[in-house]
Every structure is written in C-alpha cells, then in structure tokens.
Amino acid sequence: MFVHPQRPIWNDTSTCKDAQRRASADLTINGTTLLALALQHPSIHIRASQQITPASIKSVDIEFRPLLPSFVHRCISLCLPTYKPDEWVPLRRAREQFDATLGDTQDFDRWIASCLTINPSDAYVTHMIILGYGTNSVSLGCSQGLVYFTPVWRVFIRQFLEETIADRVSYVEARINFSPEFMIGPDGKANAPHKEWLRTFQDVLAEFRGSLQAQGRDGEFIGAEHHQLRYYEGFDLVGDENVLRPLKDYLPQLLSFSTLQASRGLPEHQRIPFIFHAGETPGDRSMADENLYDAMLLGTKRIGHGFSLVKRPKLMAMCRERGMALEVFPISNEILVYWLPFHVILSG
C-alpha cells in the first residue's frame, strides 16, 4: 500500500483497478509457475541440507542453481541414503527420482512450490518466534537461483507483469535484488552484469505494453498510458534494519551521491532520489528506529514501511508538511510478526 499524506489510497485489488504496489520481484510469481519455468532448463540443479525423508522434508533447506554444462553430478536423487548434504542433483532427475514414500512427481512439485511460497503456517506458526526477515529469507533464498538465470529472467518478467494485471494492479514498482554482481547466463557462467538485467526488463516491458495496446487493454496499465515510465524510481538500502548497519554508517557515500548528481547539472526531475526503508522495527530508540531521522535529514522522497513512525509525532508532522509519501505494508508486517493478525489474537 502506498499512502500519500494528501491522497490516501487503499490497496484493495479486488475493487480498485488503479491500486499501487511495490514488490520484491523475486517473491512475486506463483511458485508452481516458477518451478515449471525451471524444469524447462536441464542445467538447473537442486541441493538440500540433508537427505529428503518423511521426517526431514518439512525442515530441510534447499537451493537451486544453473551449473556449467561440463558439471558431472554424482547423485541422481535427494532421497537416497547415500545423498550427501549440499550435493547438486539435476532438478529434473530429482523430480523423477522422488521417493515413492513421499509421493509422485506431482507431490514433488507441490513440495517445491511450498518452499517457494510464504504460507500462513510459516508466518503464524513455524516462524512466529522469529522477529524479522526469517520467513522472507527462506523463500527468497530458494527463488534467487531460479530467477537470476538469464533464460528464465526474461520469461519471469513477462509472467510477473501478467500476474500484476491479473491482480488488478495497474501501477507497480519492481524491486530487483542487485546483491549478486552478475546473473548466470545460458552457459552456466555468472557473466551477465546489472545493465543487462535492466535492459531485458525494459525490452519485456515494452513488449508487454505493446501487447496490451494491440488488445485495446492499455488502460489496464497506468504506466503504459499516463506516465513516462522511469526505469529508476529511486535509490534505497534494503534489509533487516534490526541487525544490519544503520543509514548513518553510509553517510559519506550517500552525500557524495547527491553531490555528484548536482555537480553534473542534472535537473531535479532527472535525479535519482532517495526512497529509504526506515523504521521497519517494533523496537524503540534503536538504531533501526533512528533511521527515520537520518532518512528525513537526507531528504528521502518517501519512507518504506516506517512502522515505528507512529511513535514519533513530530516526524509524522514533518512528513505531512513535506508531502512525503509513506509506503505501508500490513501483510508484510503480519508475516514478519511486527503485529498479530486478528485471527491469531482471537484464537489465543
């Protein structure tokens, strides 16, 4: 949900066509769909932290990765007693050799899809005692090895846009995780730089907008009809504020970034603004809480999450005075257990 102090918007996508959404791209498309994309590529492998058995299947950690064509796998199943932790197995073979006591290939698909999905039992039961990014990190870690593979990336973006429209969301900001320096290419080597990721995104977006226009559906996507789309909406630092370094530790770099843009004579509307995550914490007077002050001093265009902002009436007033937008995420707050949903409170 994206809230502007003068123009509040409720992101109810069942009734509001022009809802606004900001999304972590890695976690957007259906897990079953992502698995189907992965199975089209024989180079994609899977590994597990231990042998998959009826006792371990719900707690085991898994990871995906496209490997070099020359890679020789030594095991054909995650379920064999001889399987060694973190040993790579071709995804297709792992699916074919899924232990019969665990089910068939469809059961394998359901298991993988569940690993790629944040579900209610994870959010409200398994991870209830973990305050922070634990639940998100589990699904994100699984999906990255599938998403950041150039042959999948292009199809993934198109599917992401299709599902966005299907959800009746007509404006979206996709947050791409730039932590890997390179994406893995078709040859199994990590050699696709960030600029190629963005170029592909731009190409697919242009194709998608064109297909909507050809169908007379361009009004379903605000970015295609009413706005000149900016591929860089802003600069942010993302992560668990409760354990990572605060904004003030990056002041020299952040200030020089602003100075550099001004020194090059860029007009205001062409500069990349700050759009910081800040105050995404249930704590009080912590470093994460202090990020709110530093974000505003740095001139952030808006504040992501801002969960602890409600404890700071003066900062709330400053947000209103400056016309600063606040991105709020009730569902994310539930998943990260920053507050308890009503059904949990009532059942407890």
Side-chain angles (χ1 to χ4, degrees):
M1 191 198 307
F2 182 84
V3 177
H4 189 281
Q6 278 78 47
R7 299 190 303 277
I9 297 174
W10 175 252
N11 185 2
D12 179 358
T13 56
S14 64
T15 58
C16 178
K17 184 184 72 171
D18 291 337
Q20 301 186 14
R21 189 180 78 174
R22 168 180 163 276
S24 297
D26 312 59
L27 297 172
T28 51
I29 77 169
N30 182 280
T32 301
T33 303
L34 185 54
L35 173 61
L37 293 178
L39 287 170
Q40 296 176 23
H41 301 278
S43 64
I44 293 183
H45 288 59
I46 182 174
R47 68 180 179 183
S49 56
Q50 59 181 300
Q51 176 196 358
I52 305 299
T53 66
S56 69
I57 192 168
K58 292 185 178 180
S59 59
V60 68
D61 293 327
I62 61 172
E63 182 183 356
F64 303 94
R65 185 180 300 172
L67 299 179
L68 294 168
S70 59
F71 177 79
V72 178
H73 60 272
R74 299 176 181 176
C75 189
I76 61 170
S77 174
L78 301 171
C79 304
L80 292 174
T82 55
Y83 178 77
K84 297 178 181 179
D86 295 328
E87 189 172 12
W88 290 109
V89 176
L91 178 60
R92 292 179 180 177
R93 294 299 299 273
R95 183 175 185 266
E96 294 165 358
Q97 300 296 325
F98 198 50
D99 196 301
T101 61
L102 296 170
D104 55 18
T105 54
Q106 292 184 343
D107 292 301
F108 176 87
D109 295 348
R110 281 190 283 269
W111 169 55
I112 296 296
S114 71
C115 293
L116 295 167
T117 306
I118 300 173
N119 57 63
S121 63
D122 286 337
Y124 304 134
V125 181
T126 308
H127 294 280
M128 179 60 85
I129 61 171
I130 301 177
L131 194 60
Y133 275 59
T135 311
N136 267 341
S137 298
V138 171
S139 297
L140 188 61
C142 284
S143 65
Q144 281 188 355
L146 301 179
V147 174
Y148 294 108
F149 177 42
T150 53
V152 170
W153 178 241
R154 174 173 288 274
V155 184
F156 175 87
I157 296 166
R158 180 60 184 244
Q159 184 65 30
F160 160 64
L161 294 171
E162 294 282 2
E163 292 190 14
T164 296
I165 293 296
D167 286 342
R168 298 176 61 83
V169 175
S170 55
Y171 173 82
V172 62
E173 291 177 12
R175 294 291 178 111
I176 300 173
N177 180 9
F178 289 110
S179 295
E181 187 175 358
F182 296 97
M183 189 179 291
I184 297 176
D187 57 0
K189 297 179 180 179
N191 52 17
H194 294 160
K195 64 181 180 181
E196 289 190 20
W197 310 11
L198 294 173
R199 186 180 299 117
T200 300
F201 195 102
Q202 293 170 9
D203 291 345
V204 175
L205 181 57
E207 294 168 3
F208 178 69
R209 294 165 74 183
S211 67
L212 287 180
Q213 291 172 348
Q215 299 171 50
R217 300 173 55 203
D218 47 316
E220 296 181 30
F221 191 53
I222 287 180
E225 184 177 33
H226 301 299
H227 298 286
Q228 179 179 1
L229 187 65
R230 288 173 45 150
Y231 295 111
Y232 302 94
E233 184 62 28
F235 179 84
D236 191 8
L237 292 173
V238 181
D240 188 347
E241 294 180 75
N242 299 286
V243 298
L244 298 177
R245 296 169 67 177
L247 282 176
K248 62 184 179 183
D249 284 7
Y250 301 97
L251 282 179
Q253 293 84 0
L254 295 172
L255 291 172
S256 65
F257 179 66
S258 298
T259 302
L260 177 64
Q261 294 189 87
S263 67
R264 293 193 174 182
L266 289 175
E268 192 68 31
H269 71 279
Q270 290 185 6
R271 298 181 190 180
I272 299 176
F274 293 135
I275 50 172
F276 289 124
H277 270 61
E280 188 187 5
T281 177
D284 190 12
R285 300 183 182 180
S286 62
M287 286 193 299
D289 193 37
E290 291 176 3
N291 281 338
L292 286 168
Y293 294 87
D294 292 322
M296 296 189 72
L297 289 171
L298 286 164
T300 190
K301 179 181 176 182
R302 57 193 199 225
I303 292 176
H305 293 275
F307 185 80
S308 64
L309 187 63
V310 69
K311 304 172 188 176
R312 305 285 175 262
K314 180 60 177 177
L315 292 185
M316 291 178 69
M318 291 174 65
C319 284
R320 288 192 292 269
E321 292 166 4
R322 298 181 182 184
M324 188 181 297
L326 178 66
E327 303 162 348
V328 292
F329 304 90
I331 294 176
S332 175
N333 291 336
E334 283 193 18
I335 290 173
L336 298 180
V337 203
Y338 288 153
W339 63 35
L340 294 180
F342 285 118
H343 74 271
V344 173
I345 295 173
L346 294 174
S347 64

